[in-house]
Amino acid sequence: MKQRRTKAKKTGLSAALVVALIVLSWLWEQWLPDSSVGPEPTPTAVPTGQTQSLEGRVVRVADGDTLTVQVGKEQYRIRLASIDAPETHKNNEQPGQPYAQASRDFLYQRVGGKNVQLSCYEEDNYGRKICDVNLPGQATSLNRQLVAAGFAWANQEKRGRFLRDQQMPVLEEQARQNKLGIWQASAPVEPWVWRYQCWQQRKCD
């Protein structure tokens, strides 16, 4: 009888341990972010180990900091490095920001249908290459031009984790002083703040 009780107790403990592991596994899966959800999530850098140089033709401009480039037979989604442009309207629950269309237009007018040179640092979790973008023969990157014209912020999200070009804050301050683009508004909201407060917390005012 004693041996049976001991075996039953061990069996019960084993079953409880299995159930606990299943529950912990499920909670872990729920906690992990789903990369397939969300219209334009903040990139999390995945280093590739070296800078990659590419050249191709711009076939699409999605917004002020995202475009698609045809390189040979391949198409690459490009996220401009070190900047964050105003968010465009996605749906009723993810409204756009002021100057989003102006930012996109600024970029499209300069690179739409044209060949560009890319210096890419890494890829994010969504398969986009994080790059500086230049027109051939032009020393100033489109990244810098957007910030200097007041159509993008220097990307200071997460204490500047995604800021590779240290000149960006200087260009941003100059645009702010001259009240260019987004700086004509009384209190422009950074896109990374907008994504959290408006899109996630529903506080868009």
Side-chain angles (χ1 to χ4, degrees):
M1 179 67 71
K2 188 174 182 181
Q3 288 181 347
R4 290 181 180 177
R5 288 179 180 175
T6 302
K7 288 181 178 179
K9 185 179 294 185
K10 289 181 178 179
T11 302
L13 287 173
S14 299
L17 182 59
V18 170
V19 171
L21 289 172
I22 291 173
V23 171
L24 286 172
S25 176
W26 180 84
L27 289 173
W28 176 252
E29 290 177 356
Q30 298 304 307
W31 177 81
L32 284 173
D34 184 357
S35 62
S36 66
V37 177
E40 195 64 33
T42 302
T44 301
V46 180
T48 60
Q50 61 182 1
T51 302
Q52 180 184 23
S53 297
L54 297 170
E55 186 166 351
R57 183 173 62 88
V58 175
V59 295
R60 182 173 183 263
V61 177
D63 53 36
D65 57 32
T66 309
L67 45 80
T68 302
V69 176
Q70 181 88 32
V71 180
K73 295 182 179 180
E74 298 290 332
Q75 287 191 0
Y76 297 98
R77 288 187 68 210
I78 307 300
R79 176 67 160 79
L80 275 68
S82 300
I83 73 171
D84 208 351
E87 287 293 345
T88 56
H89 178 85
K90 304 299 188 295
N91 52 54
N92 290 337
E93 294 185 349
Q94 280 124 6
Q97 293 183 266
Y99 294 95
Q101 187 61 43
S103 177
R104 180 192 177 278
D105 290 345
F106 181 90
L107 183 58
Y108 179 80
Q109 289 166 7
R110 283 155 182 77
V111 302
K114 298 179 181 180
N115 287 340
V116 293
Q117 296 170 336
L118 309 172
S119 296
C120 303
Y121 302 102
E122 56 209 4
E123 285 189 4
D124 64 16
N125 286 340
Y126 310 100
R128 301 175 300 186
K129 292 183 179 292
I130 311 301
C131 311
D132 289 332
V133 180
N134 287 74
L135 289 169
Q138 196 170 83
T140 304
S141 69
L142 272 300
N143 314 49
R144 286 188 175 189
Q145 290 182 44
L146 279 153
V147 174
F151 289 120
W153 279 260
N155 194 343
Q156 300 282 9
E157 184 180 11
K158 297 185 179 180
R159 299 182 180 180
R161 176 182 174 184
F162 306 114
L163 186 69
R164 287 185 169 274
D165 186 345
Q166 299 305 314
Q167 185 65 18
M168 291 298 187
V170 177
L171 297 173
E172 179 183 297
E173 182 57 29
Q174 291 173 352
R176 186 198 303 266
Q177 293 294 330
N178 292 320
K179 298 187 182 302
L180 300 177
I182 55 178
W183 305 112
Q184 296 177 45
S186 58
V189 179
E190 296 90 341
W192 55 93
V193 175
W194 182 265
R195 288 189 290 266
Y196 176 74
Q197 290 185 349
C198 179
W199 290 2
Q200 296 185 31
Q201 301 297 313
R202 302 293 187 267
K203 298 177 182 177
C204 301
D205 297 331

